[in-house]
Amino acid sequence: METTHFTVPDALQAYVKDILVIENSVPDRVDSIPFYADGFPGILYHNSKSAPILLPRAKPLTELFLYGQTIKPIIIKFHAPYKVVLVELLPFAVKMIFDVNPRELNDDCYNFLAGEKQDDVALKRQLADTEGTEQQIALLSSYLETQVANRSFTPHQKIKLASEIIISSKGGITVTRLAEQLKFSERSLQRLFKEYVGVSPKQFAKIIQFQASLNDMFDPGINKLTELVYENGFADQSHFIRDFKRYAGTKPSWHKKKSI
C-alpha cells in the first residue's frame, strides 16, 4: 500500500487541506484502512475490485462519496487492486461548498452524486472513463471549483480563524480563551461551530488533541506514554488513555507497540 500527496490547486486553498492517493496493485490483497477522528471531512473516490466495506456497520460504499467528521473509529476494507483519491476538506467546507448540514454527516457518508444534477452526472461519467491519477484529481478539483464559484458566500471568518487556532494549538486552547482571543461570545462560537463544523469547539479541540498525540506516537524521540500525555496537554495519564480510547477504539499502548 502506497500513499502519495498532491498539491492543492490555488483556487481551492481556502477549502481543501490535502489531496492524497492510496493504492495497492497486489492482486487479491485485502487492506483494512483505519479512519480515526482528525477534524477534517472529505471526499473519497475509488477504483477497486469490489465495493469497499465500511466497518463496523458492514456498509458497502459507492465509488464517490462525501464523509463528515469521524468521531467513532471506523475501518474501510479495500480489495486490491485499488486506487483511492482522497480530498481532505477544511473543517467548515462541507457546509460552505455543498450546503449540507455537517451534523448529519458525523460518523457517516453521503453519496452526493446519487441525484441527477448535470454536473454530478458528468463528473461520475468522466471519473469512470479516466484512469490517470492526475487527470482524476483535476476532474475532482474542477468540480469543486465550480461548486465554490456557484456559492455567493465565503467561509465564515470567525469559524475559519477559530479552527486554525485550535489546530495550531494542537487542541490545547480552551473555548473561553478562544472566544476571548476572537472577541466573540462563547455562546455564538458554540452555535456557529455546530452549524459549520458539525461538532462543538470543545469536541473539535479534543479531536485535534487526540490526532496530535496519535501522530507523536510514531516519533522515535518519544519513548514513554507519559511523554505523550504532557507533550499534548492532557491533565494526566488517565484522561489521556480515556480520550485516546474514545477516538481510536484501542488503548494508546497498543498503538505505541505498533510504532516500534
Side-chain angles (χ1 to χ4, degrees):
M1 183 173 69
E2 296 182 1
T3 301
T4 308
H5 293 262
F6 288 80
T7 302
V8 176
D10 291 343
L12 294 175
Q13 291 280 343
Y15 299 91
V16 175
K17 172 182 177 281
D18 197 7
I19 299 174
L20 57 151
V21 172
I22 306 168
E23 52 191 331
N24 192 340
S25 59
V26 180
D28 300 322
R29 172 75 179 267
V30 178
D31 286 338
S32 296
I33 302 178
F35 282 74
Y36 299 125
D38 66 359
F40 301 96
I43 298 168
L44 190 150
Y45 172 72
H46 72 89
N47 287 332
S48 58
K49 184 177 180 180
S50 58
I53 304 297
L54 175 67
L55 299 174
R57 294 168 57 185
K59 176 181 179 178
L61 297 173
T62 56
E63 68 272 21
L64 180 61
F65 59 88
L66 173 70
Y67 64 89
Q69 292 284 342
T70 302
I71 301 171
K72 298 176 183 177
I74 61 171
I75 290 173
I76 301 182
K77 281 195 170 185
F78 288 96
H79 293 259
Y82 67 82
K83 177 171 65 177
V84 175
V85 180
L86 184 61
V87 180
E88 287 188 316
L89 301 172
L90 290 173
F92 49 80
V94 167
K95 171 72 174 175
M96 300 305 303
I97 296 177
F98 302 105
D99 197 23
V100 172
N101 183 346
R103 283 173 288 182
E104 295 178 0
L105 280 181
N106 287 345
D107 288 323
D108 206 352
C109 54
Y110 171 51
N111 179 19
F112 66 96
L113 298 179
E116 294 301 322
K117 290 193 296 183
Q118 185 175 352
D119 288 350
D120 295 356
V121 172
L123 174 64
K124 204 171 184 180
R125 183 180 63 250
Q126 290 167 348
L127 285 169
D129 292 341
T130 305
E131 293 185 3
T133 299
E134 292 188 1
Q135 291 89 340
Q136 290 172 340
I137 291 173
L139 286 169
L140 286 167
S141 298
S142 177
Y143 173 84
L144 287 174
E145 288 175 25
T146 299
Q147 303 311 305
V148 169
N150 289 339
R151 298 292 172 194
S152 59
F153 42 73
T154 57
H156 193 288
Q157 291 305 308
K158 291 288 187 182
I159 296 303
K160 181 177 184 294
L161 185 55
S163 61
E164 289 172 352
I165 292 171
I166 291 173
I167 292 166
S168 65
S169 73
K170 295 185 176 182
I173 189 169
T174 65
V175 177
T176 300
R177 179 73 188 102
L178 181 63
E180 290 173 352
Q181 192 168 330
L182 294 171
K183 296 181 173 56
F184 210 48
S185 74
E186 285 189 48
R187 185 174 180 179
S188 296
L189 190 60
Q190 296 274 5
R191 176 180 59 80
L192 285 172
F193 234 85
K194 288 182 179 179
E195 179 182 352
Y196 283 87
V197 180
V199 295
S200 70
K202 182 177 180 179
Q203 186 169 33
F204 184 74
K206 285 286 186 185
I207 289 171
I208 296 302
Q209 188 182 37
F210 155 73
Q211 188 59 219
S213 67
L214 180 63
N215 291 337
D216 284 349
M217 197 82 69
F218 299 93
D219 183 343
I222 296 179
N223 299 310
K224 298 180 180 179
L225 288 180
T226 50
E227 294 179 59
L228 289 170
V229 172
Y230 300 113
E231 186 72 24
N232 290 284
F234 290 93
D236 52 47
Q237 191 161 327
S238 62
H239 281 84
F240 168 62
I241 293 173
R242 181 198 64 194
D243 287 355
F244 194 98
K245 191 173 180 180
R246 175 188 180 190
Y247 293 117
T250 50
K251 291 183 178 180
S253 56
W254 183 83
H255 290 264
K256 188 59 182 172
K257 287 177 183 176
K258 285 187 66 178
S259 70
I260 298 173

